[in-house]
Amino acid sequence: MAEKNNNALEKIVSLCKRRGFVFPSSEIYGGFAAVYDFGPYGVELENAVKREWWRNMVQLRENVVGLDSAIFMSPKIWEASGHVAGFSDPLIECRKCHARLRADHLLEDIDIAADEKMSEEKINTLLEENKDKIECSKCGAKDFTKAKKFNLLVKSNLGNFTQDWSKDPVYLRGETCQGIYVNYKNVLDSMRVQIPFGIAQIGKAFRNEITARQFIFRTREFEQMEMQYFTRPEKEMEEYEKLREYRWSFYKSLGIREENLRWHKHENLVFYAKEAYDIEYNFPFGWKELEGIHARGNYDLGQHSKYSGKDLSYVDPKTQEKYIPHIIESSVGVGRIVLMLLAEAYTEEEVGGETRTVLKFDKRLAPIKAAIFPLLRNKPELVKKAKEIYDVLKYKYMCEFDDNGNIGKRYRRQDEIGTPYCITVDFDSLEDGTVTVRDRDTMQQERIKIEKLEEYLTKNLNA
Ligand code: GAP
């Protein structure tokens, strides 16, 4: 992507709205902060991301199985995991405009390494030491309240109507992996898995994020893709290194340029973690976390054993050795990958004195794989032939039929949504059974026999 600034993000946000990828939530009611809806092309892109992730994480790995656990769970799970007591971000308020902001982000903005895991005391010391430099990102004032930890769990009132919700809330899950930990034993007992093995899950998670910025990068409702891998204690770090490599190669396989990816090692580790790295992407607003890959020791199953009173240790079938498995985790948000793909694919080119906007997605990920056009909409014989082609290809690929506007306009629309191939039926098609196939990236056109179209797409879409 040529531009790396807010202008680049604005262009992506605008294209997403204009072309049906992402809409602000509840727009006709004035919007709803930090929540977004995925439109017709957005949902196709999300589905493609989830399909590729599942293929990479579950289908291609003989010792990883899938799961779909419920969003609602026993509130005790969130006590055991530490979320009720400690799942919080440092909140600060601007005394002038009353904007509520993340104190760690304000420090990062002036290049002071800080994160949400820092103690309240440490954050407040850093804020005090740098008070002349820190400005409110909304109004520019330099007058703030003290930073306070703000819990991110979203409360709900599901279930028992006699319950006092202020005392005993139920939570919308803050991460999907807790559903994996509490089903570890069910999976072990019902499947033929042995350590090492993994459980993968894709699903919604909810967080009362303090700040709503950077489009779909940080939202209050989002989808996570997480894989938890259960290992012998002494194998944890070896498996961790393998997982890190595997995840890096996944992003390469999606066509992400390596110069836009980098590793970030966590310096402030939570007490139980062995090691933690993020894969960062060079988003239009700078380098930010894309995915977390963490070596978590035996904390998770240990905590759930303690709080549930159920023994979650593993007995090695060969040696009868008993231990609590250690866990390595890969965790990423679907929306973050979608935003990365949009940023990576967004291209503006000069063609014939005009700017062509094109999303150069990896062809497997494109929301629409082929668009089929009759050259002219008022020629029934062309429309009929184009519809016939569409009716065949749609069984294999997401296709679109379009007879609206001149061909140039139709190409431009398909370029903007990243469609790899446009197929045009013209008068020659009726004579010789061939059509024009135009390539999104090169704009080259070639004549292909209609009966060879499916083969052509299969070969070139790498699908
Ligand atoms: N189970 C570990 C966990 O949830 P995390 O670092 O809080 O760790 C993991 O989140 C990943 O989930 C992040 O790297 C990011 O891709 C995604 N994510 C987290 N919070 C998000 C939010 N508010 N909006 C979108 N994606 C988010």
Side-chain angles (χ1 to χ4, degrees):
M1 197 164 145
E3 282 172 280
K4 279 275 166 218
N5 52 36
N6 278 336
N7 192 19
L9 181 65
E10 273 167 29
K11 285 180 180 174
I12 290 170
V13 174
S14 155
L15 184 143
C16 281
K17 172 94 198 302
R18 193 171 71 245
R19 291 298 186 203
F21 281 89
V22 182
F23 307 128
S25 164
S26 320
E27 207 184 3
I28 59 168
Y29 286 94
F32 197 62
V35 184
Y36 287 90
D37 297 335
F38 285 81
Y41 297 128
V43 68
E44 291 299 332
L45 190 53
E46 277 190 314
N47 285 344
V49 166
K50 290 190 262 184
R51 215 167 31 239
E52 286 306 312
W53 187 88
W54 197 263
R55 197 177 108 81
N56 188 267
M57 277 303 207
V58 181
Q59 189 179 337
L60 299 183
R61 294 176 66 123
E62 57 189 281
N63 63 350
V64 178
V65 294
L67 180 78
D68 183 17
S69 69
I71 286 171
F72 285 114
M73 294 188 266
S74 164
K76 292 200 182 88
I77 289 170
W78 303 105
E79 279 170 38
S81 66
H83 282 73
V84 172
F87 187 46
S88 52
D89 283 342
L91 167 75
I92 196 170
E93 192 173 323
C94 169
R95 284 209 170 95
K96 185 162 174 233
C97 73
H98 301 289
R100 303 176 91 205
L101 305 163
R102 288 245 323 239
D104 54 328
H105 287 169
L106 289 179
L107 287 164
E108 275 171 14
D109 287 348
I110 56 164
D111 292 328
I112 295 185
D115 65 43
E116 71 283 2
K117 289 183 209 84
M118 270 182 178
S119 71
E120 220 169 80
E121 199 185 345
K122 179 93 196 280
I123 288 257
N124 278 313
T125 308
L126 287 173
L127 290 168
E128 182 57 29
E129 284 168 5
N130 296 282
K131 65 178 179 215
D132 296 336
K133 284 187 256 163
I134 298 170
E135 289 184 356
C136 170
S137 47
K138 293 265 164 61
C139 74
K142 291 182 175 171
D143 189 11
F144 296 99
T145 60
K146 276 200 173 250
K148 262 199 328 243
K149 288 279 183 165
F150 175 78
N151 194 288
L152 303 184
L153 279 179
V154 177
K155 291 177 186 165
S156 172
N157 62 349
L158 181 86
N160 183 349
F161 300 104
T162 58
Q163 202 162 340
D164 177 354
W165 296 114
S166 58
K167 284 207 204 103
D168 291 312
V170 177
Y171 302 100
L172 296 182
R173 65 182 174 199
E175 58 180 7
T176 54
C177 58
Q178 296 301 328
I180 295 181
Y181 304 144
V182 299
N183 277 292
Y184 151 80
K185 205 160 165 26
N186 285 333
V187 171
L188 195 62
D189 293 346
S190 59
M191 309 294 291
R192 282 170 298 132
V193 287
Q194 284 181 15
I195 287 210
F197 74 95
I199 304 178
Q201 162 154 248
I202 301 178
K204 290 269 182 165
F206 303 83
R207 295 181 187 181
N208 248 324
E209 296 287 357
I210 294 169
T211 44
R213 35 176 213 179
Q214 293 153 343
F215 194 37
I216 53 172
F217 177 81
R218 190 184 311 283
T219 51
R220 294 191 174 129
E221 173 179 340
F222 59 100
E223 219 165 358
Q224 272 189 323
M225 304 192 285
E226 300 202 292
M227 198 277 288
Q228 309 292 315
Y229 200 70
F230 302 86
T231 74
R232 290 181 64 85
E234 71 278 14
K235 291 278 182 190
E236 180 178 3
M237 294 319 290
E238 186 184 322
E239 294 290 357
Y240 180 68
E241 288 310 319
K242 280 198 248 167
L243 185 63
R244 279 183 53 198
E245 238 173 76
Y246 195 68
R247 295 305 300 151
W248 185 272
S249 63
F250 174 67
Y251 293 113
K252 270 180 27 187
S253 80
L254 298 185
I256 308 301
R257 283 162 286 196
E258 274 191 285
E259 72 251 32
N260 284 335
L261 293 169
R262 74 177 186 194
W263 287 107
H264 166 75
K265 187 174 188 212
H266 286 218
E267 301 302 337
N268 288 313
L269 286 179
V270 279
F271 70 93
Y272 52 81
K274 294 272 182 52
E275 199 156 272
Y277 273 88
D278 296 335
I279 296 181
E280 291 188 336
Y281 178 73
N282 193 10
F283 285 98
F285 35 84
W287 289 97
K288 295 274 175 216
E289 174 181 344
L290 174 69
E291 153 161 358
I293 304 163
H294 300 174
R296 303 182 54 86
N298 64 5
Y299 176 77
D300 304 293
L301 291 183
Q303 285 293 100
H304 287 302
S305 282
K306 195 163 121 196
Y307 276 71
S308 68
K310 301 282 179 319
D311 183 5
L312 297 181
S313 44
Y314 178 81
V315 180
D316 188 301
K318 288 196 195 100
T319 62
Q320 301 307 306
E321 185 193 350
K322 194 173 167 184
Y323 60 91
I324 300 256
H326 284 218
I327 291 177
I328 56 172
E329 162 182 82
S330 148
S331 173
V332 62
V334 176
R336 276 198 197 175
I337 297 190
V338 166
L339 183 56
M340 169 181 72
L341 292 173
L342 287 163
E344 190 76 9
Y346 189 94
T347 313
E348 288 181 359
E349 293 172 349
E350 282 299 303
V351 179
E354 282 189 20
T355 304
R356 173 174 98 113
T357 303
V358 49
L359 290 180
K360 293 189 173 177
F361 293 127
D362 178 290
K363 291 176 177 168
R364 284 166 308 158
L365 302 171
I368 301 296
K369 302 292 189 276
I372 298 107
F373 311 148
L375 182 64
L376 300 166
R377 70 186 306 188
N378 57 0
K379 295 287 172 199
E381 61 278 31
L382 298 185
V383 173
K384 182 166 173 275
K385 183 54 85 194
K387 276 254 166 73
E388 275 171 23
I389 294 172
Y390 168 74
D391 281 334
V392 171
L393 294 180
K394 73 182 183 189
Y395 281 92
K396 191 103 189 255
Y397 297 112
M398 272 308 288
C399 293
E400 226 171 59
F401 175 85
D402 188 5
D403 61 358
N404 205 348
N406 66 40
I407 282 285
K409 229 168 149 185
R410 286 183 248 170
Y411 281 154
R412 275 199 296 283
R413 184 172 169 277
Q414 295 299 332
D415 284 345
E416 282 205 340
I417 64 167
T419 304
Y421 295 104
C422 290
I423 297 165
T424 304
V425 173
D426 55 21
F427 292 104
D428 287 345
S429 310
L430 306 176
E431 300 295 318
D432 64 6
T434 65
V435 286
T436 302
V437 179
R438 173 202 184 251
D439 183 287
R440 175 195 70 195
D441 299 340
T442 62
M443 292 186 289
Q444 297 287 315
Q445 301 188 8
E446 54 183 317
R447 296 295 294 189
I448 304 283
K449 280 258 175 218
I450 292 171
E451 66 267 23
K452 294 273 179 201
L453 275 174
E454 193 173 319
E455 191 185 316
Y456 178 91
L457 290 179
T458 305
K459 181 166 151 248
N460 288 290
L461 289 168
N462 196 16

